[in-house]
Amino acid sequence: MPVIIRDINWEETDINLVLHIPMKGAKANKLDVLSSDQYLKVSFPPFFYEVFLYDFVNDDKSRIIVQNGFVEVTLTKQNPRKWNQLSHPQSEDKEIMKALREEALNQISLKQKQRAEANSSLLNANKREAVREQMKLEGAERNRIDTIKKNERDKVSEEMKQFEENQKIQRQLAMQNHIESNEIQLKEENNGTEKKKTIFEENTSKNSLPEISLEPKLSTPLRETCRIAVNFTSRVFPTPLRESQTDIEEQWLRKQVESRQASTDLQLDLSEKEKDIDYLKGKANQFFQQGNFQSAIGVYNHAIRVFPKVATLYSNRAACHFQVRNMMKCVEDCSRALELLDPPVPDNLLQRVKAHVRRGTAFCELELYAEGLLDYEAALKLSPDDEKVREDAQRIRNFLEKNQDFS
């Protein structure tokens, strides 16, 4: 049952009214205060104090301080004057006090509602302002990037123009040098012809002609024909050898060797069927086709323990997890398969496309559409002619654009 506090002290001036209410050993965090223009209630269970004030006060300027075991309430009067008494003259009339209490509670409820609406309006305004500022920043960033791109394009255009002018000047110089060289050569040939003519005339005058040999002279002997045998180095990959792909292919082959060695070490205590990866795949596929996905997962779990670096096992187990709606496990297995399919080579292209598509679908099932779109775009980059993947990627992109919230 509530206990009414009566031993309070109060003092007043023409402007303010100060009340000192003892807290009776209660803690400050349990203090509850209700106040209006003519009503004040301070409660800290099981104690409480209420008063119907003699005149009106300005509730918005009221101040409450808890210190030294007392609650100090400072109220500002609406009409500056001394009251000489604290309570309402009719505070003994229960009906009037009940009406005043209901009016005060309604006033307090109205103020709280107005305060909540003001806070909500302020919050929404702040959100809208934040969105506008974000859009301004993004617009400024786009303008900055466009400016950088334009400057780079202008720079490249200027460099190309300068390069073409230099090429034109070099061609003109080369042509001029060629003409000068031809003129010099022609001049030398004319001089030689004149000299030969002079010598011929001198020999003719002496009735002696130079001997002319009609046999052709060979400066170098003809080369002998032969057959050259060419042997090509055998390759594991069907594509031609390229220096830029050498390190990637060697890394892939090393991973395959490590996988086979790890599998060999683990298979020492297993039966022949438990060590046969083709048998395990066939058994798991049989369970999968029968719709017994949990059994298929169990077979793949054993196969992965024996062959921990075979990407196909993780990819197939991801398909089983997808069927039983275990999307997080599906994402993990697809990610592990993509790790094992590194470095990317033509032999594992189809496996990488399937892993990206399956992981993207699992992300979409988890409502992580942005992550799913990234995987579909990665698959489309690997297989640009796949119309099904292109349509699914566009469908996810349209969904994101439609549901994007800017408010």
Side-chain angles (χ1 to χ4, degrees):
M1 181 176 180
V3 179
I4 301 175
I5 299 175
R6 301 185 184 278
D7 52 340
I8 70 160
N9 295 321
W10 66 279
E11 54 188 15
E12 67 171 339
T13 63
D14 290 342
I15 299 174
N16 295 326
L17 178 69
V18 180
L19 286 79
H20 297 275
I21 305 170
M23 293 186 62
K24 305 292 184 179
K27 294 183 179 179
N29 58 0
K30 295 184 178 181
L31 183 66
D32 185 21
V33 179
L34 290 176
S35 63
S36 67
D37 294 344
Q38 203 176 4
Y39 176 74
L40 173 66
K41 179 181 178 181
V42 180
S43 64
F44 34 89
F47 303 97
F48 83 97
Y49 171 76
E50 70 173 352
V51 60
F52 297 92
L53 299 173
Y54 177 78
D55 201 353
F56 293 97
V57 297
N58 193 339
D59 183 54
D60 295 332
K61 295 183 179 181
S62 299
R63 186 180 61 181
I64 299 175
I65 300 176
V66 180
Q67 59 180 359
N68 300 327
F70 283 86
V71 180
E72 181 180 288
V73 182
T74 302
L75 305 175
T76 302
K77 300 176 180 179
Q78 290 188 7
N79 301 315
R81 64 186 180 87
K82 285 193 176 183
W83 296 351
N84 296 323
Q85 67 181 58
L86 180 61
S87 301
H88 192 276
Q90 297 178 341
S91 58
E92 298 299 330
D93 190 336
K94 294 184 178 181
E95 293 298 328
I96 295 177
M97 293 303 102
K98 182 179 178 181
L100 290 175
R101 183 183 291 108
E102 291 178 354
E103 182 181 356
L105 293 176
N106 291 333
Q107 183 181 1
I108 293 170
S109 177
L110 180 60
K111 285 186 177 181
Q112 291 177 347
K113 183 178 179 181
Q114 292 175 349
R115 190 178 297 112
E117 291 177 352
N119 292 337
S120 177
S121 176
L122 180 61
L123 181 61
N124 291 332
N126 291 337
K127 286 184 178 180
R128 288 193 293 270
E129 184 65 24
V131 171
R132 284 194 291 270
E133 290 297 326
Q134 182 66 25
M135 293 177 67
K136 288 181 182 179
L137 292 175
E138 291 177 355
E141 182 65 16
R142 284 195 297 270
N143 293 335
R144 186 183 70 83
I145 294 174
D146 292 340
T147 303
I148 294 174
K149 289 181 178 179
K150 182 178 181 301
N151 293 336
E152 290 295 327
R153 286 196 297 269
D154 295 342
K155 182 179 178 181
V156 172
S157 299
E158 185 65 26
E159 291 178 353
M160 291 296 297
K161 184 178 179 180
Q162 187 66 31
F163 175 76
E164 291 176 355
E165 292 179 355
N166 292 337
Q167 291 293 326
K168 184 177 180 181
I169 294 172
Q170 290 179 4
R171 285 195 297 270
Q172 291 176 353
L173 292 176
M175 182 63 70
Q176 184 177 356
N177 293 334
H178 181 68
I179 293 172
E180 293 177 354
S181 176
N182 289 340
E183 290 177 353
I184 294 172
Q185 184 177 0
L186 181 61
K187 186 176 181 181
E188 290 177 353
E189 290 178 354
N190 292 335
N191 292 336
T193 303
E194 291 177 356
K195 288 181 181 180
K196 289 181 180 180
K197 184 177 180 181
T198 303
I199 294 172
F200 179 77
E201 290 175 352
E202 291 177 355
N203 291 334
T204 304
S205 63
K206 295 179 182 180
N207 297 323
S208 59
L209 295 174
E211 295 181 358
I212 300 174
S213 176
L214 299 177
E215 297 180 358
K217 295 182 180 180
L218 300 175
S219 58
T220 57
L222 294 175
R223 291 181 293 183
E224 296 180 357
T225 60
C226 63
R227 186 182 298 275
I228 300 175
V230 179
N231 296 324
F232 295 95
T233 305
S234 60
R235 277 178 52 76
V236 177
F237 301 95
T239 55
L241 177 64
R242 292 185 177 89
E243 289 187 12
S244 60
Q245 299 292 324
T246 302
D247 295 338
I248 297 176
E249 292 177 351
E250 289 179 354
Q251 183 181 355
W252 171 256
L253 293 174
R254 283 196 301 271
K255 284 188 175 182
Q256 299 303 310
V257 173
E258 292 174 0
S259 176
R260 287 193 293 272
Q261 290 177 351
S263 300
T264 303
D265 295 338
L266 186 63
Q267 293 172 6
L268 296 177
D269 297 333
L270 300 177
S271 64
E272 291 299 326
K273 289 185 178 180
E274 291 174 337
K275 295 186 292 185
D276 188 354
I277 188 172
D278 294 329
Y279 170 79
L280 295 174
K281 283 184 181 179
K283 194 68 176 176
N285 290 337
Q286 182 180 359
F287 283 132
F288 187 89
Q289 293 172 1
Q290 295 172 356
N292 191 355
F293 304 114
Q294 292 295 348
S295 297
I297 291 173
V299 175
Y300 280 124
N301 290 341
H302 169 74
I304 288 173
R305 285 195 296 270
V306 181
F307 305 96
K309 293 189 178 181
V310 178
T312 308
L313 299 177
Y314 291 93
S315 182
N316 292 350
R317 190 173 68 175
C320 298
H321 282 307
F322 186 89
Q323 292 296 329
V324 297
R325 313 300 296 170
N326 193 349
M327 299 303 168
M328 288 305 299
K329 288 292 184 180
C330 178
V331 170
E332 292 175 2
D333 279 349
C334 290
S335 301
R336 180 56 178 158
L338 289 171
E339 290 176 3
L340 293 174
L341 292 171
D342 184 66
V345 293
D347 277 0
N348 59 29
L349 175 63
L350 184 57
Q351 290 178 277
R352 286 183 281 129
V353 172
K354 287 183 179 180
H356 278 299
V357 170
R358 185 169 290 130
R359 188 171 68 177
T361 306
F363 274 132
C364 291
E365 291 292 331
L366 292 170
E367 298 185 359
L368 301 174
Y369 299 103
E371 290 78 357
L373 179 59
L374 292 177
D375 268 314
Y376 268 92
E377 289 179 344
L380 193 59
K381 185 176 181 181
L382 295 174
S383 181
D385 297 331
D386 195 328
E387 291 298 328
K388 182 65 169 61
V389 176
R390 186 183 303 278
E391 291 175 1
D392 291 342
Q394 186 60 42
R395 191 178 299 111
I396 298 171
R397 192 178 295 108
N398 293 340
F399 178 81
L400 286 173
E401 292 176 355
K402 183 178 178 181
N403 291 275
Q404 190 172 9
D405 185 10
F406 290 101
S407 62

